[in-house]
């Protein structure tokens, strides 16, 4: 079941249009501004391309870990006319990932959620769409993904190895074909996309346990605090 976004760097999504007008958006996995309501079948899966430099695994782990996000759950996508809103990027649930993409042309919003778990024919109708509602969920299989709708929200959900990628939007403002194409375009960020997506890890971030000098070399490791005979 989808869990609430933990408040780390995620701002209320209703404020994003106001922030983006003044601050702009980052081009992490964003497509060219060629419109965002095109019809038709989505193209083949998109990756970062052979010309893109892959992200350094250590750098990805450091940046994601500083926000409490598991590095393997960090994804970006591509949707024509949409760019990621930097203010929206943050941890989702326990160690999942969330980002919102916004179109300044149409003011439509596309949310990307990645969380651990799976999606099957059995649990699909029981799993909330987006961040959840009390509306009944309709599920339709589409290749290796699920098209799901509840109330005025719809999404494409793509189960991967141990986690599910979800692309969610308003059914009236975001065309199903756009959601489907964005779902097929999801991929782990390359070096440039990672730089635009996640801030650098704070300097001095601990990566290994700090060795204590007051622990004895044998036993359970607890210091001996017994009081002697003299008190």
């Amino acid at each position: 079941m989808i869990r609430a976004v933990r408040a780390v760097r995620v701002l209320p999504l209703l404020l994003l249009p106001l922030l983006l007008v003044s601050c702009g958006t980052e081009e992490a996995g964003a497509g060219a501004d060629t419109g965002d309501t095109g019809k038709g079948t989505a193209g083949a899966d998109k990756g970062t391309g052979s010309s893109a430099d892959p992200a350094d695994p250590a750098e990805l782990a450091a940046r994601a870990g500083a926000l409490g996000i598991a590095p393997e759950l960090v994804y970006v996508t591509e949707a024509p006319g949409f760019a990621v809103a930097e203010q929206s990027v943050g941890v989702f649930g326990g160690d999942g990932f969330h980002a919102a993409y916004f179109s300044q042309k149409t003011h439509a919003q596309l949310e990307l959620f990645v969380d651990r778990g799976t999606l099957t024919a059995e649990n699909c109708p029981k799993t909330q769409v987006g961040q959840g509602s009390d509306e009944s969920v309709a599920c339709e299989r589409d290749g290796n993904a699920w098209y799901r709708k509840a109330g005025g929200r719809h999404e494409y959900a793509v189960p991967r190895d141990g986690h599910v990628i979800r692309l969610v939007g308003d059914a009236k403002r975001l065309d199903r074909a756009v959601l489907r194409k964005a779902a097929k375009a999801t991929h782990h960020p390359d070096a440039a996309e990672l730089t635009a997506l996640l801030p650098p890890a704070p300097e001095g971030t601990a990566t290994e346990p700090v060795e204590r000098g007051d622990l004895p070399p044998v036993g359970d490791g607890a210091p001996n605090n017994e009081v002697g005979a003299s008190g």
Side-chain angles (χ1 to χ4, degrees):
M1 183 174 291
I2 293 180
R3 295 165 284 182
V5 179
R6 192 194 308 166
V8 176
R9 299 179 66 249
V10 181
L11 296 179
L13 296 179
L14 292 177
L15 298 178
L16 288 179
L18 296 177
L19 289 169
L20 295 175
V21 168
S22 59
C23 300
T25 52
E26 295 291 336
E27 297 293 326
D33 192 1
T34 57
D36 42 29
T37 56
K39 303 289 183 178
T41 304
D45 288 354
K46 291 185 179 180
T48 56
S50 58
S51 61
D53 294 326
D56 177 21
E59 182 69 14
L60 172 59
R63 290 183 180 231
L67 298 178
I69 304 168
E72 67 272 19
L73 301 184
V74 178
Y75 282 81
V76 295
T77 189
E78 299 173 9
F82 285 80
V84 69
E86 183 183 357
Q87 300 91 341
S88 73
V89 177
V91 66
F92 176 69
D95 60 354
F97 176 74
H98 169 269
Y101 290 73
F102 185 75
S103 169
Q104 294 197 24
K105 181 178 179 180
T106 66
H107 302 289
Q109 185 172 277
L110 170 69
E111 291 187 78
L112 168 64
F113 296 92
V114 187
D115 201 10
R116 300 189 186 279
T118 189
L119 201 62
T120 64
E122 181 179 357
N123 69 6
C124 183
K126 305 173 185 178
T127 304
Q128 298 171 333
V129 171
Q131 294 190 58
S133 70
D134 294 330
E135 303 282 350
S136 61
V137 179
C139 297
E140 176 188 332
R141 190 75 181 182
D142 187 348
N144 66 341
W146 290 92
Y147 174 68
R148 311 171 65 241
K149 188 173 182 180
R153 305 279 285 172
H154 64 162
E155 76 172 25
Y156 260 90
V158 185
R160 293 285 173 87
D161 185 17
H163 59 274
V164 181
I165 305 168
R166 293 179 170 89
L167 283 301
V168 189
D170 187 310
K172 293 183 179 180
R173 306 193 68 175
L174 196 64
D175 191 83
R176 173 176 174 174
V178 176
L179 273 182
R180 185 173 188 268
K181 189 172 183 179
K184 292 178 73 67
T186 54
H187 57 274
H188 293 297
D190 60 33
E193 289 169 333
L194 176 61
T195 299
L197 186 70
L198 298 178
E203 292 186 9
T205 301
T207 57
E208 297 181 358
V210 177
E211 184 177 351
R212 290 181 55 179
D214 61 338
L215 298 180
V218 295
D220 62 4
N224 186 352
N225 294 322
E226 293 181 2
V227 178
S230 62

